[in-house]
Amino acid sequence: MQRVFVTGATGFVGRAVIQGLRADGYTVRCLVRRGSERDLRGLGAIERVEGDVLVRRGLEDDIAGCQAVIHLVGIIREHPAAASTFELVHTQGTINIIEAAAMAGVRRYLHMSALGARPGARSRYHRTKWAAEEAVRASGLGWTIFRPSVIYGRGDAFITMLAQLARRLPLVPVIGSGRQRLQPVPVEDVAEGFAGALALPGTEKQTYEVGGPDAVTMIELLDLIGAALGRRRVRKVHIPLSLMRPLTRVLHPLPGFPVTPDQLLMLQEDNVCDPAPFYSTFGIRPVRLATGIGRMLE
Ligand SMILES: NC(=O)c1ccc[n+]([C@@H]2O[C@H](COP(=O)([O-])OP(=O)(O)OC[C@H]3O[C@@H](n4cnc5c(N)ncnc54)[C@H](OP(=O)(O)O)[C@@H]3O)[C@@H](O)[C@H]2O)c1
């Protein structure tokens, strides 16, 4: 296998996946939206086609000549005015890519979902990720699905933001009790899983839940971040959900506002899994969260 078609390459995870693929000797062709090309800087020689997963026409021509497709595109914040909704980007975008892959004669397909994707999930992010997975399973392609918990590393959104808050504020806001657990996983490990799956036919028709070795609450996560920053203690202030809900409903369209109503729903549930099958299948050694965060923030 030589040439891999990648969507979402300009994103945080995409850049790591491209590096993983190139390290394994693959040629990479990326679907990139006009104006986003600069985010591919520093990734070396990659083929680039201009396009958008929401524009179905011509996608099969873009994919033709590749031996596999890796579909990473996803959003955490909607921009309905730009036709960027969960339903369109996650579900219709996936349908467009798998249809185009099939038309281009590509069989192998790796799909980025998210931990918590399930029918009837409270958040539309998770429900639309599930609908996308259903389309993938029905596609007839040789699919593999990855469902990560929070992914972290340099350039991420979540842990970088928490670290900034811990650095700058005397009191870090914690939404609700902060007792829900999540299982952050290093972006390099996620990338290694994607690149590794291409060489492992046994991963076809498999779904991998992906998390790091440590499940932590938001409070524990803030303390780990504080320790990595050399702080003896991170002081926290809890913002009750009864206050956050109406605030978020009204203020979330503002660019600086940190959460959306959908994220608020997700923050209220655990986001943990048994990642052992992922680590053993891809031969990856798990990195303890304290070590990973320490490396990221040093
Ligand atoms: N980060 C996490 O903690 C995490 C956890 C679990 C699952 N995931 C999933 O992993 C994937 C990547 O996440 P990320 O953190 O790397 O997000 P990101 O940094 O926001 O990257 C998103 C990528 O999708 C592209 N994109 C968005 N809409 C598009 C469209 N209509 N057509 C073509 N490309 C489009 C973006 O392109 P532009 O550069 O043009 O905007 C960018 O390359 C998503 O599916 C996400 O749901 C992420």
Side-chain angles (χ1 to χ4, degrees), residues 4-11 18 28-34 36-37 40 46-63 66 69-73 93 96-97 100:
V4 184
F5 186 82
V6 183
T7 74
T10 52
I18 299 294
V28 180
R29 183 185 297 167
C30 303
L31 180 78
V32 181
R33 294 197 286 184
R34 181 177 295 182
S36 298
E37 316 77 43
L40 294 175
I46 33 189
E47 297 176 10
R48 176 164 56 81
V49 289
E50 190 177 298
D52 186 311
V53 297
L54 300 181
V55 181
R56 169 70 186 79
R57 210 160 59 115
L59 278 177
E60 59 273 21
D61 298 331
D62 296 335
I63 296 175
C66 295
V69 169
I70 298 182
H71 179 45
L72 300 173
V73 165
N96 289 346
I97 290 291

Side-chain angles (χ1 to χ4, degrees), residues 6-269:
V6 183
T7 74
T10 52
F12 161 60
V13 179
R15 288 177 55 86
V17 168
I18 299 294
Q19 284 166 318
L21 290 171
R22 286 185 33 90
D24 285 358
Y26 294 101
T27 300
V28 180
R29 183 185 297 167
C30 303
L31 180 78
V32 181
R33 294 197 286 184
R34 181 177 295 182
S36 298
E37 316 77 43
R38 60 182 176 275
D39 294 326
L40 294 175
R41 264 191 226 137
L43 290 176
I46 33 189
E47 297 176 10
R48 176 164 56 81
V49 289
E50 190 177 298
D52 186 311
V53 297
L54 300 181
V55 181
R56 169 70 186 79
R57 210 160 59 115
L59 278 177
E60 59 273 21
D61 298 331
D62 296 335
I63 296 175
C66 295
Q67 284 74 47
V69 169
I70 298 182
H71 179 45
L72 300 173
V73 165
I75 53 171
I76 194 72
R77 198 175 267 268
E78 298 182 289
H79 296 284
S84 189
T85 65
F86 293 133
E87 285 76 13
L88 281 172
V89 176
H90 292 165
T91 313
Q92 189 58 48
T94 296
I95 291 168
N96 289 346
I97 290 291
I98 57 187
E99 275 181 12
M103 277 187 70
V106 177
R107 256 205 84 259
R108 191 73 173 109
Y109 173 86
L110 310 186
H111 182 78
M112 176 61 100
S113 184
L115 193 62
R118 61 194 188 280
R122 291 179 73 197
S123 67
R124 283 172 47 243
Y125 175 88
H126 281 145
R127 288 205 300 274
T128 53
K129 283 279 188 188
W130 175 258
E133 283 194 18
E134 291 279 73
V136 169
R137 285 185 283 269
S139 67
L141 299 174
W143 53 266
T144 303
I145 294 173
F146 292 88
R147 268 189 214 148
S149 184
V150 173
I151 304 170
Y152 72 93
R154 290 204 178 112
D156 73 1
F158 187 59
I159 290 196
T160 301
M161 177 193 68
L162 293 180
Q164 274 170 2
L165 296 178
R167 270 196 193 103
R168 290 178 191 165
L169 300 180
L171 286 173
V172 178
V174 173
I175 297 172
S177 72
R179 302 237 167 259
Q180 284 72 27
R181 290 174 316 143
L182 49 154
Q183 215 167 324
V185 58
V187 68
E188 296 81 9
D189 291 355
V190 175
E192 206 174 322
F194 273 90
L198 294 174
L200 291 172
T203 61
E204 281 194 25
K205 298 212 171 2
Q206 300 297 319
T207 298
Y208 296 95
E209 298 201 328
V210 187
D214 300 298
V216 291
T217 65
M218 185 64 89
I219 292 170
E220 291 164 339
L221 181 57
L222 282 169
D223 288 337
L224 282 174
I225 290 170
L229 296 174
R231 298 270 297 271
R232 212 156 40 86
R233 179 157 177 230
V234 177
R235 289 176 190 276
K236 308 166 192 82
V237 56
H238 291 265
I239 319 276
L241 279 164
S242 55
L243 176 63
M244 269 316 277
R245 281 194 201 99
L247 271 183
T248 305
R249 235 187 335 266
V250 176
L251 297 180
H252 79 271
L254 299 178
F257 198 74
V259 281
T260 64
D262 222 56
Q263 282 174 302
L264 210 53
L265 291 174
M266 290 191 270
L267 279 174
Q268 290 170 58
E269 39 185 60

